[in-house]
């Protein structure tokens, strides 16, 4: 028996004004319009951005990101989490559409868990990256926007992969994704070394994200820092980006500090008294002369 006959319920007029949401058919675009073309033409151009980075070094993988989620000029959330744990030894940075990133990371967590149950062990970082890129590549051209860096530790040691929603998969030592990535790359390229200590790696990641939030209008909030070790991932800290940048401005620049340390270790020899610009010859002597220079004759 139909619901209308039991409860005497009548469907509201979809054409009239109503404070309730439209039914499923009411969300369709006008007839004769392609949905993608209609949204591109009439939809608001919402700019979005972020700053995420990850790099591999001797003691594991560092992942850092800002916490500002924006939609155009509107800051939707100043304290969002852009580094998502996948399992105990795998993290992922998120850049792109927040809904797409969250959805696909839940799908990846499910698939990795099922593989672990079937095979008795978790897949490698390379296997997880290949699985994610294969799943997302099927939706190429449908405005899916996911750019992530998978950071993990497996049987081969620390590993880092970049995966994009069109199926791109790259392996490397340093990746930065988002609108603030050019500024972060400038700091990373200057201070990165594979044999860094743990504290040096923490300081480099914080400095890179803090400088990016200073120059990029769509990045800000705080700086989240994660460290993937052999024993698993660790949430290191969350620091206010503005306070962190102000503290970094008070510190001496690395190049000047290295020059000062080198100058103290190797002091310059003292200049001999009376030395001039004559190649070490004082008093204007020329090679072959044993006495003072002759005075010019006067008539």
């Amino acid at each position: 028996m139909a619901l209308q006959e039991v409860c005497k319920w009548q469907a509201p007029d979809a054409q009239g004004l109503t404070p309730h949401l439209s039914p499923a058919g009411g969300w369709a675009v006008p007839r004769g319009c392609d949905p993608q073309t209609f949204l591109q033409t009439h939809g608001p151009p919402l700019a979005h951005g972020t700053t995420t980075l990850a790099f591999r070094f001797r003691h594991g993988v560092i992942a850092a990101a800002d916490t500002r989620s924006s939609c155009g000029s509107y800051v939707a959330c100043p304290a969002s989490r852009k580094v998502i744990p996948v399992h105990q030894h795998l993290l992922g940075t998120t850049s792109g559409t927040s809904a797409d990133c969250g959805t696909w990371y839940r799908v990846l967590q499910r698939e990795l868990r099922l593989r672990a149950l079937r095979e008795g062990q978790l897949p490698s970082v390379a296997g997880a990256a290949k699985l994610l890129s294969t799943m997302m590549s099927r939706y190429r051209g449908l405005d899916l926007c996911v750019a992530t860096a998978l950071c993990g530790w497996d049987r081969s040691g620390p590993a880092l992969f970049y995966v994009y929603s069109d199926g791109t998969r790259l392996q490397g030592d340093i990746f930065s994704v988002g609108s603030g990535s050019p500024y972060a790359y400038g700091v990373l390229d200057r201070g990165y070394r594979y044999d860094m200590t743990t504290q040096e790696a923490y300081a480099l990641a914080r400095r890179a994200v803090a400088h990016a939030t200073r120059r990029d209008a769509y990045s800000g909030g705080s700086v989240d820092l994660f460290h993937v070790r052999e024993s698993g991932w660790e949430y290191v800290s969350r620091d206010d980006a503005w306070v962190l940048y102000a503290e970094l401005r008070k510190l001496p620049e690395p190049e000047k500090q290295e020059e000062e340390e080198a100058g103290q270790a190797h002091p310059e020899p003292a200049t001999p008294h009376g030395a001039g610009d004559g190649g070490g010859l004082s008093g204007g002597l020329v090679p072959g002369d044993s006495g003072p220079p002759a005075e010019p004759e006067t008539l």
Side-chain angles (χ1 to χ4, degrees), residues 60-75:
V61 184
I62 298 294
D66 73 308
T67 61
R68 174 179 293 176
S69 293
S70 58
C71 185
S73 59
Y74 172 69
V75 178

Side-chain angles (χ1 to χ4, degrees), residues 187-200:
V187 178
L188 291 173
D189 291 340
R190 180 181 179 183
Y192 172 78
R193 301 191 324 274
Y194 185 79
D195 58 347
M196 287 186 297
T197 64
T198 302
Q199 296 302 321
E200 288 176 341

Side-chain angles (χ1 to χ4, degrees), residues 81-101:
R81 181 67 61 85
K82 298 183 182 180
V83 181
I84 300 179
V86 180
H87 57 69
Q88 185 180 0
H89 292 82
L90 185 63
L91 294 172
T93 65
T94 59
S95 177
T97 306
S98 299
D100 292 341
C101 293

Side-chain angles (χ1 to χ4, degrees), residues 29-233:
V29 298
R31 295 180 179 179
C33 296
D34 179 63
Q36 186 173 2
T37 305
F38 179 82
L39 291 176
Q40 291 178 353
T41 305
H42 301 280
L46 299 177
H48 57 275
T50 185
T51 300
T52 64
L53 62 87
F55 59 85
R56 188 172 68 99
F57 74 119
R58 182 177 58 181
H59 300 289
V61 184
I62 298 294
D66 73 308
T67 61
R68 174 179 293 176
S69 293
S70 58
C71 185
S73 59
Y74 172 69
V75 178
C77 180
S80 61
R81 181 67 61 85
K82 298 183 182 180
V83 181
I84 300 179
V86 180
H87 57 69
Q88 185 180 0
H89 292 82
L90 185 63
L91 294 172
T93 65
T94 59
S95 177
T97 306
S98 299
D100 292 341
C101 293
T103 299
W104 280 104
Y105 265 100
R106 287 195 296 270
V107 173
L108 180 62
Q109 290 172 351
R110 180 194 65 195
E111 293 297 327
L112 293 181
R113 178 60 176 161
L114 290 175
R115 284 201 175 187
L117 292 174
R118 287 194 298 262
E119 302 174 4
Q121 61 182 3
L122 288 169
S124 63
V125 181
K130 185 176 182 180
L131 176 63
L132 181 61
S133 65
T134 302
M135 291 189 299
M136 292 194 300
S137 64
R138 303 171 185 173
Y139 298 87
R140 185 182 305 169
L142 298 179
D143 291 338
L144 183 65
C145 186
V146 178
T148 179
L150 287 175
C151 322
W153 192 302
D154 52 21
R155 293 177 295 274
S156 62
L160 178 61
F161 284 84
Y162 167 76
V163 180
Y164 189 59
S165 50
D166 63 353
T168 302
R169 186 178 80 255
L170 302 173
Q171 184 179 10
D173 292 331
I174 304 175
F175 288 114
S176 182
V177 189
S179 57
S181 59
Y183 312 107
Y185 268 126
V187 178
L188 291 173
D189 291 340
R190 180 181 179 183
Y192 172 78
R193 301 191 324 274
Y194 185 79
D195 58 347
M196 287 186 297
T197 64
T198 302
Q199 296 302 321
E200 288 176 341
Y202 291 171
L204 177 62
R206 290 191 184 104
R207 186 166 66 248
V209 179
H211 279 276
T213 58
R214 178 70 176 180
R215 296 297 180 183
D216 180 37
Y218 300 105
S219 302
S222 301
V223 180
D224 278 340
L225 184 63
F226 287 79
H227 185 185
V228 183
R229 305 174 183 267
E230 187 176 3
S231 58
W233 61 267

Side-chain angles (χ1 to χ4, degrees), residues 262-275:
Q264 294 176 0
H266 304 284
E268 296 182 0
T271 305
H273 178 68

